Amino acid sequence: MIETGSYELLSFEEARQKLRFDREISLGLFDLSTFRIAYCAGDFAYVGDIELYQWMWCDKIAGLVVDGDMTIDGDLMDNSFDGSAAFVLARGNLRARTVTLGGAEVVVRGDLRVEGAVFNSSSAGRCEIGGSLYASHLVTDDHATVVAGRTPARSFALGYVDPTMSEKLRVAESYLDILTPEAATEFDARSRAGSEVVVRIVSAIRSGRAVLRA
């Protein structure tokens, strides 16, 4: 359960009229009229992990809008695969330990700085960075990920690649091209990883294990 304090909770309609976030976030097909929006007018700091699927379905929060910088002392994660997760709109910079997204929308107007990896999977999701991405790795698996500025040297894509990212992402044929040999054997990654393998890879990244090729 999240704790209120550094932000306010607004009804969905009030937040849409006041914050105009629908100009920057595509809200999909869900009826969000009974949900709330968390809004921080300045910088936002959070201790612990933020799990966006839980925010939506346990806390009934459809999104977080931060007008300043956003700092997470933990991971930004999303365990959904169909877009049924809270969105994040950070109009400044965002910092976290790792970012692992499924179907959520995350839009950062400034830079995204991550201690570990950014790993985005699921065709339902979207990650847009208006500045640069600083991380150990960027991996996208059929995920609409766009970075306006620089990306890590180790940036890989399986499946869909946004046309603007074609020169920033190395196309991988399978997870065998991305994982360390030890991790590929452990996860039984073959020509194309199934959803169970992806979940295991994401769990390893969140735990801080070095399972991606250096």
Side-chain angles (χ1 to χ4, degrees), residues 35-58:
F35 288 77
R36 298 171 296 173
I37 300 295
Y39 171 57
C40 178
D43 294 339
F44 174 78
Y46 189 90
V47 177
D49 301 330
I50 290 182
E51 204 289 292
L52 297 173
Y53 182 84
Q54 175 183 334
W55 271 39
M56 186 155 188
W57 298 109
C58 294

Side-chain angles (χ1 to χ4, degrees), residues 36-93:
R36 298 171 296 173
I37 300 295
Y39 171 57
C40 178
D43 294 339
F44 174 78
Y46 189 90
V47 177
D49 301 330
I50 290 182
E51 204 289 292
L52 297 173
Y53 182 84
Q54 175 183 334
W55 271 39
M56 186 155 188
W57 298 109
C58 294
D59 300 327
K60 295 298 182 181
I61 294 177
L64 168 64
V65 179
V66 178
D67 282 344
D69 294 335
M70 181 174 172
T71 302
I72 304 171
D73 183 18
D75 301 323
L76 176 60
M77 60 179 72
D78 162 31
N79 292 326
S80 74
F81 289 94
D82 58 0
S84 58
F87 69 81
V88 172
L89 173 57
R91 290 171 171 153
N93 303 312

Side-chain angles (χ1 to χ4, degrees), residues 128-183:
E128 179 183 330
I129 310 301
S132 293
L133 170 59
Y134 302 92
S136 66
H137 297 75
L138 168 62
V139 178
T140 71
D141 185 352
D142 265 343
H143 192 279
T145 300
V146 176
V147 182
R150 61 166 290 183
T151 56
R154 296 181 289 271
S155 295
F156 303 95
L158 295 95
Y160 173 78
V161 177
D162 187 278
T164 64
M165 295 292 290
S166 60
E167 296 183 1
K168 297 181 179 181
L169 294 170
R170 279 185 278 170
V171 176
E173 295 298 326
S174 74
Y175 278 103
L176 295 174
D177 299 332
I178 297 174
L179 296 172
T180 63
E182 296 79 10

Side-chain angles (χ1 to χ4, degrees), residues 28 63 159 186 188:
E186 177 184 346
D188 194 22

Side-chain angles (χ1 to χ4, degrees), residues 1 11 15 25-26 51 72 76 83 85 95 107 122 128 140-141 144 176 188 190 196-197 212:
M1 182 67 180
S11 71
I25 298 291
S26 56
E51 204 289 292
I72 304 171
L76 176 60
R95 183 185 295 270
V107 176
S122 173
E128 179 183 330
T140 71
D141 185 352
L176 295 174
D188 194 22
R190 301 179 184 179
E196 291 184 5
V197 175
L212 300 175

